[in-house]
Amino acid sequence: MAQARLTIDLGALRANWRTLAQKAQAEAGAVVKADAYGLGMDRVAPALAEEGARRFFVAQAEEGAALRRTLGAGPEIFVFSGHMAGDADLIRGANLVPMINSIDQMLRHVEGLPGHPFGIQLDSGMNRLGMEPAEWGALRDIALAQNPALIMSHLACADEPDHGMNAHQLRLFRQMTDGIDVPRSLSATGGILLGPEYHFDVTRPGIGMYGGLPFIDARPVVSLSIPVIQIRDLEPGESVGYGNSFVARNPMRVATIGAGYADGILRAMGPKASLWAGESRCKVLGRISMDLIGVDVTALHSAPEALELLGQHQSVDTLADWAGTIGYEILTSLGNRYARDYVGA
Ligand SMILES: *Cc1c(COP(=O)(O)O)cnc(C)c1O
């Protein structure tokens, strides 16, 4: 079989969620947008619900409707993009809670679904989603009279604890919400790690549950094993892969493995990347192709059946460093061509 194998450890996922939950007095929600960061919302969300998560967050109403089918009635499902035109049937049918981002969205919501639950998203400086202070000032009394389920904002720099933006956003969020008797939420993974004044009533961990930074103590959740399709010996002067970008100086042995950039193994990682055969590190040789990668297995005593790209030796953040990106992008890029095993549920 040439198919690579992605193993998702639901036990580690649950442990990570629990550890993040225990770091705060607040109730921990769970962010499962983008198919649970590419790991499969239909398996991830029920595992988190079993662990005790009662509030889930998604980016779009369509994701929320799929999540409702998975979770059934009970858990609250919040939609970051709020109430977009055309969403009313989904929001009602799946009993979603749109996070209202503007006066326009508020009008759409009360006209289209009077009495249906909603939350409020405030912009405290990121300039991405939510109402700014002036807009919130104009809407506040009307919105509060209708009993929002949650008021939230989002931090721009929470992965940099010393960044002045954190305290600035905290101050602004407090100015906009102090004295309001509605549950409040400010922190994703990074904010949870900033400390208790950032926690409020509900936290929204995502990446940390999935084993990524900035949650440095996360247990690895994903491992990726790629089968060796062919092994060949090179003479000095022979090259490997497109563009002849690697040329052997010494005799060496190359394994061609069965995954590539079509599977989210970013071509930009290029020659910085390596894989593991047990405890031996094996470097990538030449360019990453769509479905194949050449790997140096000269030092191995026996021909490996597969090599590990993600696992105990290296994380999504290791790969992200090689590619000049972040663990989030590595996770959400993992393709649909893997055999997926869910373990440890
Ligand atoms: C994605 C997202 C989260 C989760 O962030 P992590 O850094 O993955 O923990 C929380 N809140 C909002 C608004 C988000 O967009």
Side-chain angles (χ1 to χ4, degrees):
M1 185 164 87
Q3 196 180 30
R5 195 157 273 280
L6 191 69
T7 303
I8 294 147
D9 184 344
L10 295 174
L13 169 92
R14 289 170 65 149
N16 288 338
W17 180 82
R18 175 146 298 278
T19 306
L20 288 166
Q22 286 166 349
K23 285 185 185 293
Q25 293 290 318
E27 177 186 334
V31 179
V32 295
K33 62 192 180 190
D35 200 24
Y37 291 35
L39 298 186
M41 186 174 72
D42 57 334
R43 302 299 300 268
V44 161
L48 294 170
E50 260 182 57
E51 195 62 31
R54 305 303 294 158
R55 302 194 205 221
F56 290 82
F57 295 87
V58 293
Q60 307 169 349
E62 288 77 5
E63 294 179 318
L67 179 59
R68 179 62 73 202
R69 288 192 289 277
T70 297
L71 289 178
E76 274 183 294
I77 300 174
F78 299 90
V79 181
F80 290 141
S81 59
H83 191 144
M84 296 289 288
D87 279 353
D89 287 347
L90 279 178
I91 290 171
R92 184 183 44 229
N95 194 17
L96 309 176
V97 184
M99 298 304 299
I100 299 298
N101 287 300
S102 63
I103 291 176
D104 281 355
Q105 286 202 349
M106 190 77 231
L107 291 174
R108 184 180 294 133
H109 187 70
V110 296
E111 278 166 18
L113 294 174
H116 187 95
F118 66 95
I120 297 286
Q121 184 157 199
L122 301 176
D123 187 80
S124 53
M126 191 174 183
N127 286 305
R128 195 174 68 166
L129 282 182
M131 287 178 249
E132 302 199 3
E135 199 177 9
W136 174 232
L139 189 70
R140 181 179 158 128
D141 291 345
I142 300 164
L144 293 181
Q146 320 224 16
N147 242 340
L150 186 71
I151 300 184
M152 64 165 273
S153 188
H154 192 51
L155 297 169
C157 303
D159 58 341
E160 297 176 59
D162 298 329
H163 203 298
M165 186 68 168
N166 295 317
H168 170 75
Q169 288 192 265
L170 176 61
R171 209 160 39 238
L172 205 54
F173 185 58
R174 295 201 71 124
Q175 275 170 22
M176 288 192 278
T177 61
D178 271 355
I180 294 176
D181 188 22
V182 172
R184 291 187 284 181
S185 176
L186 180 61
S187 285
T189 303
I192 294 171
L193 303 172
L194 290 179
E197 67 272 34
Y198 287 87
H199 294 164
F200 295 91
D201 304 297
V202 178
T203 59
R204 307 187 306 272
I207 191 73
M209 310 188 294
Y210 303 114
L213 290 175
F215 184 28
I216 196 138
D217 299 324
R219 277 176 54 183
V221 172
V222 195
S223 53
L224 176 56
S225 170
I226 307 174
V228 172
I229 298 178
Q230 212 184 352
I231 291 189
R232 71 184 69 246
D233 292 310
L234 298 190
E235 299 294 334
E238 287 194 285
S239 61
V240 179
Y242 283 119
N244 289 7
S245 67
F246 177 83
V247 179
R249 286 205 210 125
N250 306 300
M252 60 193 303
R253 176 161 285 194
V254 180
T256 302
I257 60 172
Y261 61 75
D263 304 291
I265 301 172
L266 303 182
R267 193 172 169 282
M269 294 194 305
K272 291 188 189 155
S274 42
L275 295 94
W276 292 80
E279 297 304 309
S280 305
R281 178 200 287 270
C282 307
K283 285 183 66 66
V284 165
L285 300 175
R287 291 190 191 152
I288 293 171
S289 307
M290 188 183 294
D291 326 292
L292 300 165
I293 305 172
V295 184
D296 182 0
V297 294
T298 311
L300 302 183
H301 298 301
S302 58
E305 283 185 12
L307 297 174
E308 189 178 274
L309 182 63
L310 287 169
Q312 299 296 329
H313 290 289
Q314 54 199 27
S315 69
V316 290
D317 295 291
T318 320
L319 273 59
D321 276 350
W322 292 333
T325 181
I326 54 176
Y328 300 72
E329 191 179 10
I330 300 291
L331 272 181
T332 55
S333 300
L334 293 171
N336 293 320
R337 215 163 31 160
Y338 299 120
R340 287 177 179 237
D341 290 329
Y342 290 87
V343 301

